[in-house]
């Protein structure tokens, strides 16, 4: 009987640790930093995209196993994100755009996927030398993000948990 209670206790502890560890790890991934904490090469690179006054938030985090600095920028009323590696190399940009500003083929694909629902937000993303468009679509109580090339080919979809990160 005592060994049965020990096994149940150990199982309960394992469940608690198993459920809380992933959420704690996720919280540790991105750290808000100041411009003074950003490497000089990154500071120089970001000046191409925004002044310090236009930078609303800086986070140091991990992107595909590499340290990266993500800058949230608001310039002329438009929101964007720029991610730069410690060596000053641009990793990616994300810019909130209007659906009407997306190329025709990509816009058609997004609208086709949104039939029976609505497009919640759209972004232009530049990464690894390529531009794609991301759209969050709300349909049947679910939110899905689709990634589309400028010529309208869907290259990715994923379910969005909770609210989308960015809105028009």
């Amino acid at each position: 009987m005592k060994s049965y209670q020990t096994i149940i206790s150990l199982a309960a502890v394992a469940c608690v640790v198993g459920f809380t560890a992933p959420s704690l790890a996720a919280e540790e991934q991105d750290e808000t930093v100041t411009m003074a904490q950003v490497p000089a090469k990154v500071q120089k690179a970001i000046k191409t995209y925004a002044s310090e006054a236009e930078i609303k938030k800086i986070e140091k985090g991990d992107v595909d196993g590499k340290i990266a600095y993500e800058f949230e920028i608001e310039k002329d009323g438009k929101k964007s994100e720029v991610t730069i590696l410690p060596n000053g190399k641009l990793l990616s940009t994300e810019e909130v755009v209007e659906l009407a500003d997306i190329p025709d083929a990509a816009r058609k694909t997004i609208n086709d996927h949104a039939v029976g629902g609505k497009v919640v937000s759209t972004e232009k993303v530049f990464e690894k030398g390529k531009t794609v468009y991301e759209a969050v679509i709300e349909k049947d109580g679910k939110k899905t993000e689709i990634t589309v090339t400028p010529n309208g080919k869907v290259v990715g979809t994923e379910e969005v948990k909770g609210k989308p990160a960015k809105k028009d």
Side-chain angles (χ1 to χ4, degrees):
M1 182 69 172
K2 186 155 176 109
S3 63
Y4 178 74
Q5 289 175 334
T6 303
I7 291 171
I8 295 297
S9 296
L10 289 173
V13 169
C15 285
V16 169
V17 169
F19 286 121
T20 58
S23 65
L24 292 174
E27 289 175 15
E28 294 176 338
Q29 287 180 355
D30 291 338
E31 168 190 359
T32 300
V33 296
T34 64
M35 187 63 87
Q37 295 172 296
V38 174
K41 289 181 179 181
V42 176
Q43 289 183 31
K44 183 178 178 183
I46 193 61
K47 288 178 184 175
T48 304
Y49 299 94
S51 68
E52 274 197 62
E54 294 166 328
I55 297 169
K56 302 304 176 193
K57 185 176 183 181
I58 307 169
E59 289 183 335
K60 178 183 177 183
D62 180 283
V63 177
D64 298 331
K66 297 177 185 175
I67 292 174
Y69 294 86
E70 183 175 279
F71 295 83
E72 289 183 18
I73 299 167
E74 190 166 335
K75 191 174 189 175
D76 301 326
K78 292 185 176 186
K79 294 181 181 182
S80 63
E81 293 178 2
V82 175
T83 305
I84 300 174
L85 297 173
N87 64 5
K89 182 180 176 189
L90 175 69
L91 185 64
S92 66
T93 63
E94 297 180 15
E95 178 186 355
V96 174
V97 295
E98 297 293 326
L99 184 58
D101 296 332
I102 293 176
D104 292 342
R107 185 172 59 248
K108 180 182 181 326
T109 299
I110 291 167
N111 284 329
D112 288 349
H113 279 78
V115 169
K118 67 178 183 174
V119 178
V120 177
S121 65
T122 50
E123 291 183 330
K124 178 180 180 179
V125 178
F126 178 79
E127 187 173 22
K128 298 178 184 172
K130 296 181 181 178
T131 298
V132 293
Y133 296 88
E134 295 178 346
V136 174
I137 297 170
E138 187 172 3
K139 188 192 293 190
D140 301 327
K142 294 181 183 177
K143 291 181 182 170
T144 304
E145 180 180 84
I146 65 168
T147 304
V148 182
T149 64
N151 66 5
K153 180 181 177 188
V154 175
V155 292
T157 61
E158 71 178 82
E159 186 178 339
V160 176
K161 304 288 185 188
K163 295 180 182 176
K166 295 159 219 74
K167 285 194 160 216
D168 290 347

